[in-house]
Amino acid sequence: MSPSMIAPVVEEENKKYQKGVKHLCDNGVTKVPAKYILPEPDRPIFTKSDKLIKPKQNLKLPLIDFAELHGPNRPHVLQTIAESCKTYGFFQVVNHGMEGDVSRNMIEVCKRFFELPYEVRSKYMSSDMSAPVRYGTSFNQIKDNVFCWRDFLKLYAHPLPDYLPYWPSSPSDFRSLAATYAKDTKEMFEIMVKAIIESLEIDGDDEAVEELEEGSQLMVVNCYPPCPEPELTLGMPPHSDYGFLTLLLQDDVEGLQILHRDEWVTVDPIPGSFVVNVGDHLEIFSNGRYKSVLHRVLVNSTKPRISVASLHSFPLTSVVKPSPKLVDELNPPQYMDTDFPTFLQYVSSREPKWKNFLESRKIHHIR
Ligand code: OGA
Ligand code: NI
């Protein structure tokens, strides 16, 4: 066949995958299509019996008791935060005050959203990266050569009144439950920001705190349906998060792995807890003291998994740069000033993998 005859066939094939993995699974997929098969070195390592070869032990991330931030133990908690952000780029938060219905309802209503007929979900599909609501699949479904086993719903969430009218109107309780969740996570983020700034010993940087309090919030709901051959693909490829902090809520199915000491380790889900991680903007702001660490998501053959990542950062109009309080003659800035349009242009023009974006902002000092 001549190339001109093949192209429409490939295009037709690709169109099918644009509808996402939930759609594929609802139509009874029994093998992973070639579009999702990763080159061998990028695959997770499973044994023949479909079981993941586990690292010696799942990783137990440092635990932060949120309630202790408000008591006499605060200095100790701040120290644990500082150490976790340097060593893991991640920590886990319990006793955060959202243990009750709010987080449970959020997971549950998101499950119901992904169970809606494809025609309803697809109303929110958009290739515009700055659309207030965007339903989609894979990581970047326009650019990805290999697709990952994930559908998503992205919701801009701050200021809420600006965005709420665009959020899905079905399920009928989606907006109210997701709005409560967004507000509560934002409050949690604000308490966390003060702790992070204090842990960097730059408590005087009120300007940064104020900017972050008025900053951007993007909620990403991830849906990972069971995958017939989980050893061939990933739910999400290795990436770092671009915001300041990500607050991740997961259901009780494991899947998140972080790169720790050059090994992929699975994070043990603690029901009701939040996994918090350093994003690229915090790495820049802390002038490299805290690291945004690569992470990825495994899928499995039996259990669907839902997670909600809330990405918080400076306002979309801000320039992100190392805190002036962490820069002096002995500590020159390690990163270029960075704005959101530069980032959006970067991610929409290529496969946003690994830590490419952050690498592109690094200043290499000649000594
Ligand atoms: C993300 C992410 C992890 C997960 O949304 O950026 O890394 O477990 N999610 O779904
Ligand atoms: Ni992430």
Side-chain angles (χ1 to χ4, degrees):
M1 238 192 288
S2 75
S4 62
M5 307 246 325
I6 295 171
V9 178
V10 173
E11 220 165 85
E12 202 45 46
E13 275 283 293
N14 277 352
K15 232 193 244 161
K16 186 164 79 192
Y17 301 127
Q18 296 290 333
K19 294 185 178 176
V21 273
K22 184 71 176 55
H23 180 75
L24 214 58
C25 293
D26 289 347
N27 285 294
V29 77
T30 54
K31 284 183 89 56
V32 169
K35 184 78 186 162
Y36 299 84
I37 301 181
L38 286 163
E40 226 167 300
D42 297 345
R43 294 179 199 165
I45 305 170
F46 283 76
T47 59
K48 289 217 166 55
S49 68
D50 210 34
K51 288 241 166 18
L52 180 69
I53 297 178
K54 288 222 171 161
K56 281 147 248 129
Q57 228 178 2
N58 280 7
L59 181 70
K60 294 211 184 331
L61 287 173
L63 263 191
I64 300 296
D65 184 331
F66 209 63
E68 288 201 351
L69 270 179
H70 308 296
N73 229 355
R74 185 171 171 94
H76 174 73
V77 181
L78 294 179
Q79 205 180 343
T80 313
I81 291 180
E83 273 156 26
S84 314
C85 291
K86 285 179 196 157
T87 318
Y88 297 95
F90 275 80
F91 54 87
Q92 203 140 216
V93 176
V94 292
N95 256 332
H96 41 68
M98 214 210 278
E99 281 78 9
D101 289 344
V102 177
S103 52
R104 253 198 315 273
N105 287 348
M106 180 64 181
I107 294 276
E108 195 264 335
V109 78
C110 292
K111 258 186 201 155
R112 281 190 279 125
F113 172 82
F114 285 101
E115 276 157 17
L116 293 170
Y118 171 73
E119 291 67 32
V120 182
R121 278 176 281 143
S122 64
K123 278 199 292 196
Y124 303 99
M125 269 190 168
S126 164
S127 53
D128 175 5
M129 302 284 274
S130 49
V133 175
R134 195 154 66 87
Y135 178 76
T137 191
S138 192
F139 213 61
N140 178 345
Q141 73 201 79
I142 311 293
K143 299 277 169 198
D144 293 347
N145 288 323
V146 177
F147 269 22
C148 54
W149 203 262
R150 162 223 193 203
D151 293 342
F152 63 80
L153 177 69
K154 294 191 181 183
L155 306 160
Y156 275 98
H158 187 78
L160 199 52
D162 290 358
Y163 295 119
L164 201 55
Y166 298 97
W167 287 13
S169 49
S170 53
S172 59
D173 50 353
F174 182 89
R175 274 190 203 167
S176 67
L177 295 176
T180 305
Y181 177 80
K183 273 188 255 168
D184 286 8
T185 12
K186 178 96 168 77
E187 268 173 36
M188 206 190 295
F189 166 75
E190 286 171 14
I191 297 172
M192 213 109 65
V193 159
K194 293 201 182 90
I196 293 268
I197 301 268
E198 209 176 319
S199 76
L200 282 166
E201 296 172 337
I202 50 168
D203 330 11
D205 201 344
D206 296 339
E207 205 183 309
V209 174
E210 275 166 33
E211 266 201 277
L212 285 162
E213 282 180 351
E214 267 323 298
S216 58
Q217 179 180 14
L218 173 67
M219 290 206 300
V220 184
V221 186
N222 300 301
C223 163
Y224 309 98
C227 172
E229 296 167 297
E231 68 280 13
L232 300 179
T233 190
L234 284 170
M236 233 195 258
H239 67 280
S240 62
D241 293 348
Y242 75 89
F244 191 86
L245 275 184
T246 302
L247 276 57
L248 179 81
L249 175 72
Q250 9 171 20
D251 61 12
D252 52 4
V253 182
E254 67 181 29
L256 174 64
Q257 289 198 314
I258 73 172
L259 193 62
H260 182 60
R261 299 199 176 123
D262 287 332
E263 264 189 87
W264 286 107
V265 285
T266 304
V267 173
D268 242 351
I270 303 178
S273 72
F274 277 82
V275 170
V276 177
N277 63 295
V278 173
D280 293 351
H281 292 169
L282 176 51
E283 180 170 330
I284 294 174
F285 177 79
S286 71
N287 206 21
R289 289 194 195 188
Y290 291 174
K291 297 288 182 218
S292 84
V293 165
L294 287 170
H295 50 287
R296 67 179 190 183
V297 178
L298 303 177
V299 284
N300 72 80
S301 58
T302 51
K303 297 182 205 139
R305 175 168 184 267
I306 293 270
S307 70
V308 185
S310 192
L311 280 75
H312 300 259
S313 194
F314 295 99
L316 297 172
T317 48
S318 287
V319 171
V320 183
K321 53 181 183 295
S323 166
K325 294 191 187 292
L326 293 173
V327 172
D328 56 31
E329 249 171 54
L330 287 176
N331 300 287
Q334 304 289 332
Y335 305 85
M336 283 178 256
D337 292 4
T338 300
D339 58 23
F340 279 89
T342 310
F343 169 76
L344 284 179
Q345 204 221 346
Y346 189 95
V347 292
S348 52
S349 65
R350 69 196 77 204
E351 269 189 276
K353 273 208 183 152
W354 302 95
K355 286 177 71 169
N356 292 350
F357 179 68
L358 200 61
E359 289 303 324
S360 78
R361 308 309 296 165
K362 267 199 182 143
I363 298 172
H364 299 280
H365 294 282
I366 300 161
R367 289 181 190 269

